[in-house]
Amino acid sequence: MRSNKAPEELYLKTLSLDPENQETAIPFIGNEHVHSSVFYRRNHFPYPEEPAAGLTIDGLVDSPGFISLEDIQALPARTVETVLECAGNKRSLFEPKAFGEPWGKGAISQGKWKGVPLKTLLGRAGWDKETAVEVITAAGDAGERPDKKDVYAYIRSLPIEKAMDPDTIIAYEYNGGPLSFKHGAPLRLIVPGWYAMASMKWIERLTVSKETFEGPFQAIDYVYYPHKNSRKDAFPVTTMNVNSIIQSPADMEIKKEGTQIIEGIAWSGEAVIELVEVSTDGGQTWEETQLEPHSDTTYTWTKWFYEWKEAAAGEYTIMARACDAGGRQQPMQAFWNQKGYGYNAVETIQVKLK
């Protein structure tokens, strides 16, 4: 059941400590904006010791150089309200299992980020509109990979079209206060609508490039590999899939018979949530839920609930499926891939009423 507890009374679920990876207690989140103390944490490496207090902009620009945090904060700002979801969220639900951090359903949170559009920063530097194809983004964290011998920094790239989206920002505030170190301070890239591997923490360098970036976090990780022992038909992880979570009742919960409230959240990377349906009979029949008012933006989750009247004693399979305004609906079976990205099968739990 969603809780009204203060953030200091909620806890993160720890999956690993080095690097630190922890889940948000999604069943107990009742607020639109998740407090930074219980915002999920996803790291590839240990925390950086001294992230740069500003950005270096280079590559295909007229005026390469360093811009300080203070100068960035003096530029016209934009606030973006968005979900951030790890591409591996719900990985543990894949069958057959996929190797990687065994995320449950809590590698997702949302809030309001304030910063400067990437478009503004690159415009000031005079980027080359004729030949540029990507913006390479470098973060301040680095370490060893299990498949490589050398030390690698976390570096990725964005296609120019996404980099120039006015909602793609370099953020320095979260929920009206300073951005916390563990969530990317002093500067974090926020790429709404895409899985959060793109919303890089401790961002330090922007390089405008005419070539496609082929670093390991771009060309090896965050790629869908549809076949178990092959890289055939591989394609990059980008936009979040339409998805939902049942927050209450909990999976395998035992409750007293009678009217039940089934509730949860739904989200999509491409369009607002238009419909959420619930089944209490394992998918044989479906009923429309009530959607709570939301911000009408593409990037935020939508809360929903359904009143299951006079439910009799017994064991039930409860399902939820969301559909966005673009017509994308959760499938009965998730698209399996080697690395376990993008799980979005119809949400399914078991409940017993007595």
Side-chain angles (χ1 to χ4, degrees), residues 268-283:
S268 172
E270 287 191 347
V272 297
I273 295 298
E274 194 169 69
L275 174 70
V276 178
E277 297 174 297
V278 161
S279 173
T280 57
D281 55 15

Side-chain angles (χ1 to χ4, degrees), residues 40 42 84-89 91 103 107-108 195-197 222 342:
Y40 85 96
R42 168 65 176 119
L84 289 188
E85 180 187 14
C86 176
N89 194 31
R91 177 181 284 128
W103 294 106
I108 180 173
Y195 283 108
M197 77 282 157
Y222 301 110

Side-chain angles (χ1 to χ4, degrees), residues 171-327:
Y172 48 78
E173 287 188 8
Y174 177 70
N175 286 350
L179 181 63
S180 69
F181 170 72
K182 289 198 171 184
H183 293 292
L187 294 169
R188 178 170 189 166
L189 178 63
I190 297 295
V191 185
W194 280 31
Y195 283 108
M197 77 282 157
S199 293
M200 299 164 58
K201 301 183 288 292
W202 313 293
I203 197 80
E204 294 186 345
R205 183 181 295 270
L206 304 172
T207 302
V208 181
S209 175
K210 64 179 180 181
E211 298 176 349
T212 302
F213 180 65
E214 296 291 339
F217 291 102
Q218 190 82 22
I220 298 175
D221 294 347
Y222 301 110
V223 175
Y224 290 112
Y225 300 107
H227 310 293
K228 189 167 180 62
N229 296 307
S230 168
R231 293 192 176 185
K232 181 182 177 182
D233 302 323
F235 59 99
V237 176
T238 55
T239 307
M240 291 186 296
N241 292 326
V242 61
N243 215 332
S244 67
I245 290 173
I246 296 173
Q247 293 177 283
S248 179
D251 189 26
M252 305 306 291
E253 185 173 1
I254 299 174
K255 303 191 73 175
K256 186 177 182 180
E257 65 177 348
T259 298
Q260 311 289 326
I261 300 297
I262 304 171
E263 60 182 331
I265 56 174
W267 66 97
S268 172
E270 287 191 347
V272 297
I273 295 298
E274 194 169 69
L275 174 70
V276 178
E277 297 174 297
V278 161
S279 173
T280 57
D281 55 15
Q284 296 181 60
T285 61
W286 295 87
E287 298 291 337
E288 188 171 337
T289 68
Q290 181 173 332
L291 306 185
E292 294 185 3
H294 55 85
S295 63
D296 290 324
T297 72
T298 302
Y299 312 128
T300 56
W301 64 41
T302 296
K303 298 177 183 177
W304 55 267
F305 69 90
Y306 173 73
E307 186 177 15
W308 183 17
K309 296 181 178 179
E310 299 178 2
E315 296 182 7
Y316 296 90
T317 297
I318 299 176
M319 296 177 165
R321 66 184 182 193
C323 182
D324 69 19

Side-chain angles (χ1 to χ4, degrees), residues 122-152:
L122 297 181
R124 291 178 79 256
W127 67 283
D128 186 343
K129 298 179 176 63
E130 298 297 323
T131 57
V133 296
E134 288 190 343
V135 177
I136 300 169
T137 52
D141 52 334
E144 296 181 352
R145 290 173 53 93
D147 60 341
K148 302 284 185 181
K149 293 183 179 180
D150 298 327
V151 171
Y152 286 83

Side-chain angles (χ1 to χ4, degrees), residues 2-60:
R2 287 183 300 155
S3 171
N4 291 319
K5 286 185 177 181
E8 61 269 17
E9 295 179 286
L10 297 177
Y11 300 91
L12 290 161
K13 177 184 176 182
T14 300
L15 277 71
S16 63
L17 288 175
D18 188 18
E20 189 176 55
N21 289 299
Q22 298 180 308
E23 292 190 25
T24 297
I26 284 294
F28 304 101
I29 294 296
N31 297 323
E32 291 282 346
H33 307 132
V34 177
H35 192 276
S36 61
S37 65
V38 289
F39 198 106
Y40 85 96
R41 299 172 186 174
R42 168 65 176 119
N43 295 288
H44 298 89
F45 306 120
Y47 291 105
E49 292 184 5
E50 294 185 21
L55 283 173
T56 297
I57 302 176
D58 58 16
L60 300 177

Side-chain angles (χ1 to χ4, degrees), residues 86-100:
C86 176
N89 194 31
K90 300 189 180 184
R91 177 181 284 128
S92 61
L93 302 180
F94 270 108
E95 291 293 344
K97 296 296 184 184
F99 285 95

